[in-house]
Amino acid sequence: MRFDYSPWLFWSEADEDEQKRQLDLQDGLAYDFGERCFVSALASVQNDQLTLGPGSYIAAGAYLTGELRAGRDCTMNPYTVIRGSIVLGDAVRIGAHTSLLGFNHTMTDPDVEVHRQPLTSRGIRIGDDVWIGSHVVILDGVTVGDRAVVAAGAVVTRDVPAGAVVGGNPARILKWRVPPAGGLSGDAASTTQPKSDLSGKAAEGESWDRRGDVAGAVAGFATRAREQAEAILDRCFVDGLFVDRPGEAPTVRAQCDAVEIADLLLGEAPRHLPAEAQVRRLREWQDPDTGMVGALRSGGGQERPEPGLFDEAAGYHVLCVGYALDLLGSRFPEPVRVVAAAGAEEIVAGLERQPWRTSAWSAGHWVDILGTAVHWNRAMGERGRPGATEALFGWLLAHADPATGMWGSGRPVDGLLQPVNGFYRAARGTFAQFGLPVPYPERVVDTVLTHAADVRVIRPERQNACNILDIAHPLWLARQQTAHRADEVAGLARGLLRDALGHWTDGQGFGFRAPHPTTTGDPATVPGLQGTEMWLAVLWYLADLAGVAEGLGYRPRGVHRPEPAG
């Protein structure tokens, strides 16, 4: 009984027989438990799915239903109620008598008793290192950011920013445990309650610091970025070649990113070399036998691409070199021969080999290369073997999941990240590039919005260019076919847009990963050409979803172009 109410003592004080009984209890529950977990026999554990990371415990009187995924060292103290779709990060400590309610009743029909009307569930997502006090209520749809604190007795109806301390009913920011990057102005940075709610929305008339004059901020950013574009390119130009970041070796992609950035911000080729010299070099890098572009060696020279579909080190170059040449008014001198020679059976076999269930991004990457190679070949009059392109699109149409609109499956370790990111890559290279409608666009919107509620991806300190682009582009692409959940899409875009504008470093551009005090020292946060090129595209898609893209004064024309490439 003592351990049921003080489970943190169990693995240090329980005897061997008690430990064996606990492990037998966990085996009988048939859920996924990490090492040194504890589940009280006095708890009511009725989950459809349950994962507890190492060192997590469920105390006496707790009531759990639905789907719960908890990281390491999470605590569900006595009489907690956790129901619906819930994700807890690492080291989430939940006080006694607290309720996390990841579902809700509907009441749309006044002639039907509430208990007979359908339930809805958006789920609750809690970040890492979060302390939730006793007698707290957190309602469906809420995301609580990393390192936040929820004071005892709070009723949380809106998202809690990372590092915030919130309390009250409804909960409001009281102070900051970890101040946000760049700080906040006004009372949001003080220890008093701010006027805005936890989602960042505020009353009419407040400034950009609080709710955001989005259009004005976008236009101001674009002016600053254009003024600094030359300096950003200069810092990455070394000995006649571009590097992604100072101190790194030249890469094929860096040359192409420089072309894209110059086109976006300056409307011309980089001024560091004559445009014809840049065209000549990119064309000379294509291997005439395979049609691929091999990687550059660190000491000079170039790797020879491997035959077949596709050399991993050379794959993305089909996209970036092809589009850089297109922006410079040229094209590959040769078709991508490994694709031109592939028949329908080889295409289908390649699609079937891809790790759709475990790594849908990798599978989508493969499809993106294939679709883009088909595009360049057709532009040159090389239509490939009969039925090959039809096999590609036919396979994708036949295998799209009607429930998600995507290919591949989610995973406990990262939720819907893989299928969403894989959808972006696969759809970009095929349906978007060829101007064809995607299957199940409404389900795509639903899936991306569900994914965007995952605290492991969407929090500002967790964002990177790939993951946010892979949210923005599918929503934009689906919007060309449907207005499904349009207000939610626009609201998400505005929030992500505010975050993205804050990731810029003057004179250097964007790092691939967003800067934050908790990520200091991560090389991915250092500004470079890849991060700058990708975030500039992300900004356009988000701004267009938010209805303010005109203020940017640019529209992607390369790898991330919104229009069909034909």
Side-chain angles (χ1 to χ4, degrees):
M1 184 73 73
R2 174 169 177 252
F3 296 128
D4 290 303
Y5 289 91
S6 302
W8 55 89
L9 301 175
F10 180 79
W11 289 104
S12 60
E13 298 185 11
D15 62 32
E16 186 174 333
D17 288 341
E18 289 170 319
Q19 291 186 15
K20 183 179 184 304
R21 285 196 296 272
Q22 173 61 206
L23 294 175
D24 289 342
L25 172 64
Q26 293 180 26
D27 288 342
L29 290 172
Y31 293 124
D32 183 8
F33 296 110
E35 294 182 355
R36 300 176 69 82
C37 286
F38 178 87
V39 181
S40 171
L42 301 179
S44 178
V45 181
Q46 304 175 18
N47 296 86
D48 299 318
Q49 297 180 25
L50 172 62
T51 300
L52 287 188
S56 295
Y57 61 76
I58 301 170
Y63 175 36
L64 279 64
T65 67
E67 300 178 1
L68 169 62
R69 185 169 68 247
R72 63 167 177 80
D73 298 315
C74 292
T75 68
M76 284 138 272
N77 274 303
Y79 304 104
T80 55
V81 175
I82 300 179
R83 305 188 65 195
S85 175
I86 312 289
V87 176
L88 308 179
D90 293 332
V92 177
R93 317 298 278 190
I94 303 174
H97 299 278
T98 282
S99 296
L100 276 62
L101 304 175
F103 69 98
N104 210 342
H105 288 277
T106 55
M107 49 183 179
T108 53
D109 190 341
D111 296 324
V112 177
E113 294 170 321
V114 169
H115 76 96
R116 300 185 186 279
Q117 298 193 43
L119 296 176
T120 62
S121 177
R122 292 182 291 163
I124 294 171
R125 303 294 182 266
I126 311 295
D128 298 334
D129 185 20
V130 172
W131 176 20
I132 302 172
S134 297
H135 294 277
V136 168
V137 177
I138 299 180
L139 299 183
D140 188 36
V142 166
T143 293
V144 178
D146 285 351
R147 304 165 80 185
V149 176
V150 182
V155 177
V156 184
T157 62
R158 298 182 183 275
D159 291 353
V160 177
V165 179
V166 304
N169 180 7
R172 294 181 178 275
I173 298 172
L174 304 177
K175 59 182 179 179
W176 293 92
R177 177 189 174 201
V178 181
L184 291 178
S185 66
D187 53 5
S190 74
T191 59
T192 60
Q193 293 185 9
K195 297 176 184 177
S196 63
D197 62 36
L198 300 180
S199 67
K201 299 173 185 175
E204 286 296 320
E206 292 186 295
S207 69
W208 161 250
D209 290 329
R210 299 301 307 281
R211 72 172 177 88
D213 173 4
V214 181
V218 162
F221 162 80
T223 298
R224 190 164 74 252
R226 280 190 287 272
E227 291 172 349
Q228 298 174 21
E230 288 287 357
I232 290 167
L233 294 171
D234 287 345
R235 71 188 285 267
C236 295
F237 189 69
V238 180
D239 297 331
L241 287 167
F242 286 99
V243 299
D244 181 57
R245 296 174 297 198
E248 295 195 346
T251 62
V252 172
R253 178 165 185 168
Q255 318 314 306
C256 304
D257 287 335
V259 171
E260 295 245 16
I261 292 167
D263 183 78
L264 284 168
L265 297 181
L266 302 173
E268 60 185 11
R271 299 172 184 172
H272 301 76
L273 290 171
E276 56 270 21
Q278 297 179 56
V279 167
R280 183 168 59 252
R281 181 162 60 196
L282 292 172
R283 285 170 58 90
E284 288 174 351
W285 281 345
Q286 186 184 31
D287 174 50
D289 294 329
T290 63
M292 302 286 285
V293 178
L296 302 184
R297 297 192 184 103
S298 58
Q302 187 181 11
E303 298 290 345
R304 183 176 179 81
E306 297 178 3
L309 301 173
F310 290 103
D311 179 348
E312 184 175 347
Y316 191 79
H317 300 159
V318 172
L319 280 67
C320 66
V321 175
Y323 275 105
L325 286 169
D326 190 58
L327 291 172
L328 294 169
S330 186
R331 62 177 55 172
F332 281 122
E334 305 287 344
V336 182
R337 299 193 185 281
V338 294
V339 172
E345 289 187 6
E346 187 177 354
I347 297 296
V348 170
L351 290 164
E352 297 284 356
R353 279 198 308 271
Q354 299 311 307
W356 293 103
R357 296 187 64 83
T358 58
S359 183
W361 180 90
S362 297
H365 171 71
W366 192 90
V367 172
D368 197 358
I369 299 165
L370 178 61
T372 305
V374 170
H375 162 63
W376 298 131
N377 286 355
R378 289 193 164 214
M380 300 176 67
E382 171 57 77
R383 302 189 67 82
R385 296 179 61 182
T389 302
E390 291 78 5
L392 167 61
F393 282 93
W395 191 96
L396 292 173
L397 287 167
H399 288 80
D401 183 350
T404 65
M406 299 186 174
W407 306 276
S409 305
R411 311 182 305 181
V413 68
D414 52 14
L416 292 167
L417 180 68
Q418 286 291 324
V420 169
N421 288 15
F423 176 87
Y424 162 67
R425 291 299 305 272
R428 192 222 71 86
T430 55
F431 296 97
Q433 193 162 227
F434 285 81
L436 299 174
V438 298
Y440 313 115
E442 289 85 4
R443 301 293 77 76
V444 169
V445 173
D446 291 339
T447 302
V448 174
L449 289 178
T450 298
H451 168 63
D454 191 327
V455 294
R456 294 168 296 181
V457 175
I458 208 68
R459 293 190 302 274
E461 70 274 18
R462 293 291 186 90
Q463 293 176 13
N464 66 52
C466 179
N467 291 349
I468 304 304
L469 176 63
D470 296 355
I471 289 171
H473 186 276
L475 289 176
W476 187 92
L477 188 61
R479 194 184 67 173
Q480 310 314 300
Q481 297 173 234
T482 179
H484 181 58
R485 300 177 70 175
D487 289 345
E488 293 175 73
V489 169
L492 172 64
R494 286 192 294 272
L496 292 176
L497 187 59
R498 284 195 299 268
D499 291 343
L501 292 173
H503 300 336
W504 176 267
T505 299
D506 280 332
Q508 300 180 49
F510 288 107
F512 177 77
R513 182 176 180 182
H516 190 267
T518 63
T519 59
T520 301
D522 184 346
T525 64
V526 177
L529 298 184
Q530 179 182 346
T532 300
E533 184 274 325
M534 292 187 70
W535 278 110
L536 287 173
V538 170
L539 283 169
W540 186 88
Y541 280 102
L542 294 174
D544 199 58
L545 288 169
V548 295
E550 309 81 31
L552 286 173
Y554 67 75
R555 187 180 183 93
R557 299 194 308 131
V559 172
H560 302 112
R561 61 182 294 154
E563 289 82 18

